[in-house]
Amino acid sequence: MAMEDLRKQINEIDDKMVALFEERMKVAGEIGKYKAENKLPIMDRLRERELLARITKDQDEEMALHTKVLYTTLMDVSRSHQSRIVYKESPLVEKINEALENTPKEFTKQAIVACQGIEGAYSQIACDRLFSRPSIMYMNDFKGVFNAVDKNLCQYGILPIENSVHGSVTEVYDLMKKYNFSIAKRIKVLINHSLLVRGDAKLSDVKHIYSHEQAIGQCSEFLSAHPEIQVHIVENTAVAAKMVADRAEKDAAAISSRNCAEIYGLNALDVEIQNSANNYTRFICISKKLEIYPGSNKMSLMFTLNHRPGALYSLISKFAALDINLTKLESRPIPGKDFEFMFYFDLEASVYSEAVLSLLAELEQGPDKFVFLGSYTEV
């Protein structure tokens, strides 16, 4: 048969399938109403297994596999449809709407902000770009930033989340599981690392280099070219600069910013020593209270998924159905649980969309642990 004839057959079959699909969804909606009235759970694993076994029992192995994929998707769509009927009220959606109503129209210029490190840290640089008049509280580590926000010692905290060269800041992701917070803003900062020394020290004088592990990773090519120099990891690039400034000897250098050279009276022996000129770090600005500012078009979510085939696919397909772009998917192991992971999603999505709010309400009521981390813009 000619291709046109075959496609005509496909079109005729599709027309019948669409009509039957609409009919099936209407019945699924009626089932959703029944479940709502009788307080029954939407998920019925036994019923789904029985359905798959019944419709594939007379099929060969290959066709049974195709049918299972089709009906697994179809049942997932049916559950989503039922969820919007059963869960008309959503505490999360109410919280989002309240934040949209009560958040100021403009991001504040002045606030008490927690940053990790000391003066000259890249977190401080990110903070100064977000706030014109911040009062900065410096913390020894990332945990201290989370604690300061959690205990209302400050309104905001600044944390690095991802570097374009060296990847995610895993310590921050691991701490996210332990605290309740919201992302109010995100900022992308260009990172230029310099090799800072005391006085007139030369590269031949340098026996030790100090810096944060992320900066060390971002400058791995420079360090590989000088294997004779011993590398030391410290808690912050600004701390590294201060350590070098406080030493009496000239045998140490810091991988840090030019800003730190000015602050601590050091000289830049070499500049832009990072592996890539396009070396950016993303920082999140967190708050304890949910704040959603006008124009917010990005969103972050956190999940734990039950061990079942296709769980992650099923979740991702919900976003795909709404043409939502997933810009990042990060997984981190859950301490104390064998091979169980927490998943972090960054999305390009707006809470001004009713379809997105309906999806969030569905996810909130699902069997998996779900945390809405915030809706924000990136500057």
Side-chain angles (χ1 to χ4, degrees), residues 200-234:
D200 58 354
K202 301 178 177 60
L203 186 59
S204 57
D205 299 323
V206 175
K207 301 295 185 294
H208 305 275
I209 287 180
Y210 298 86
S211 197
H212 186 266
E213 60 181 338
Q214 276 276 334
I216 290 169
Q218 294 161 27
C219 301
S220 60
E221 293 176 6
F222 174 85
L223 295 172
S224 295
H226 301 283
E228 73 282 2
I229 301 177
Q230 189 174 355
V231 178
H232 305 271
I233 295 175
V234 297

Side-chain angles (χ1 to χ4, degrees), residues 162 185-188 282-283 297-298 376-379:
E162 177 185 24
K185 286 283 183 179
R186 194 170 73 185
I187 184 169
K188 187 168 70 171
R282 281 193 167 103
F283 293 83
N297 58 358
K298 299 182 187 300
Y376 51 87
T377 56
E378 181 175 273
V379 295

Side-chain angles (χ1 to χ4, degrees), residues 14-301:
D14 285 343
D15 290 341
K16 295 176 183 178
M17 288 178 65
V18 168
L20 290 172
F21 174 71
E22 290 182 357
E23 186 177 345
R24 191 183 195 281
M25 290 296 282
K26 288 178 182 178
V27 177
E30 292 300 318
I31 293 174
K33 293 178 183 177
Y34 181 88
K35 289 178 178 178
E37 292 168 359
N38 294 275
K39 295 181 170 53
L40 297 175
I42 291 176
M43 178 72 73
D44 188 342
R45 287 291 180 195
L46 178 59
R47 159 65 180 166
E48 292 186 2
R49 282 196 295 270
E50 290 175 346
L51 187 152
L52 289 174
R54 178 179 62 80
I55 62 177
T56 59
K57 66 175 182 173
D58 296 326
Q59 293 183 313
D60 60 42
E61 186 173 345
E62 181 181 2
M63 190 54 64
L65 178 61
H66 295 325
T67 301
K68 183 178 179 180
V69 171
L70 172 63
Y71 269 82
T72 298
T73 303
L74 184 59
M75 288 185 292
D76 189 44
V77 172
S78 294
R79 286 195 301 271
S80 295
H81 182 49
Q82 291 178 11
S83 293
R84 297 181 185 186
I85 295 171
V86 174
Y87 304 123
K88 289 184 178 179
E89 296 182 1
S90 165
L92 173 59
V93 172
E94 290 179 6
K95 184 179 179 181
I96 289 172
N97 287 329
E98 182 181 347
L100 288 170
E101 183 177 348
N102 296 329
T103 302
K105 300 303 180 186
E106 292 186 0
F107 194 62
T108 183
K109 301 294 184 183
Q110 185 175 8
I112 300 174
V113 186
C115 294
Q116 187 265 343
I118 59 177
E119 191 72 17
Y122 284 108
S123 291
Q124 174 246 307
I125 294 172
C127 179
D128 284 341
R129 282 190 53 189
L130 279 174
F131 303 91
S132 60
R133 300 186 304 279
S135 297
I136 300 178
M137 299 172 56
Y138 287 109
M139 314 312 259
N140 292 331
D141 50 32
F142 298 139
K143 183 178 179 180
V145 175
F146 278 105
N147 271 326
V149 174
D150 187 59
K151 295 178 181 178
N152 294 315
L153 299 177
C154 58
Q155 187 176 355
Y156 299 104
I158 301 293
L159 292 157
I161 195 73
E162 177 185 24
N163 178 262
S164 58
V165 174
H166 200 57
S168 299
V169 184
T170 55
E171 184 182 351
V172 173
Y173 277 103
D174 289 339
L175 287 167
M176 282 183 176
K177 300 190 288 286
K178 302 178 181 180
Y179 294 91
N180 294 320
F181 68 95
S182 296
I183 301 174
K185 286 283 183 179
R186 194 170 73 185
I187 184 169
K188 187 168 70 171
V189 177
L190 178 63
I191 306 295
N192 286 321
H193 293 303
S194 297
L195 188 68
L196 306 184
V197 296
R198 293 184 72 250
D200 58 354
K202 301 178 177 60
L203 186 59
S204 57
D205 299 323
V206 175
K207 301 295 185 294
H208 305 275
I209 287 180
Y210 298 86
S211 197
H212 186 266
E213 60 181 338
Q214 276 276 334
I216 290 169
Q218 294 161 27
C219 301
S220 60
E221 293 176 6
F222 174 85
L223 295 172
S224 295
H226 301 283
E228 73 282 2
I229 301 177
Q230 189 174 355
V231 178
H232 305 271
I233 295 175
V234 297
E235 59 266 34
N236 191 271
T237 57
V239 169
K242 189 175 187 304
M243 288 175 62
V244 171
D246 291 343
R247 287 173 68 97
E249 302 85 1
K250 295 182 180 180
D251 63 345
I255 295 177
S256 191
S257 67
R258 293 289 297 273
N259 189 38
C260 281
E262 296 176 6
I263 294 171
Y264 299 107
L266 299 175
N267 293 320
L269 191 61
D270 202 348
V271 297
E272 297 188 6
I273 63 172
Q274 67 274 3
N275 298 348
S276 171
N278 294 316
N279 184 32
Y280 287 90
T281 294
R282 281 193 167 103
F283 293 83
I284 53 173
C285 176
I286 65 170
S287 64
K288 190 169 183 179
K289 182 181 179 182
L290 178 62
E291 300 178 2
I292 304 177
Y293 290 88
S296 294
N297 58 358
K298 299 182 187 300
M299 190 180 295
S300 292
L301 312 173

Side-chain angles (χ1 to χ4, degrees), residues 323-357:
D323 290 327
I324 294 175
N325 184 30
L326 295 180
T327 57
K328 184 172 184 180
L329 170 57
E330 179 84 15
S331 65
R332 295 295 301 157
I334 301 175
K337 296 187 177 181
D338 291 340
F339 302 106
E340 291 193 28
F341 295 85
M342 182 73 78
F343 294 91
Y344 303 84
F345 290 82
D346 286 345
L347 326 170
E348 290 180 347
S350 171
V351 289
Y352 301 98
S353 165
E354 289 297 327
V356 170
L357 289 178

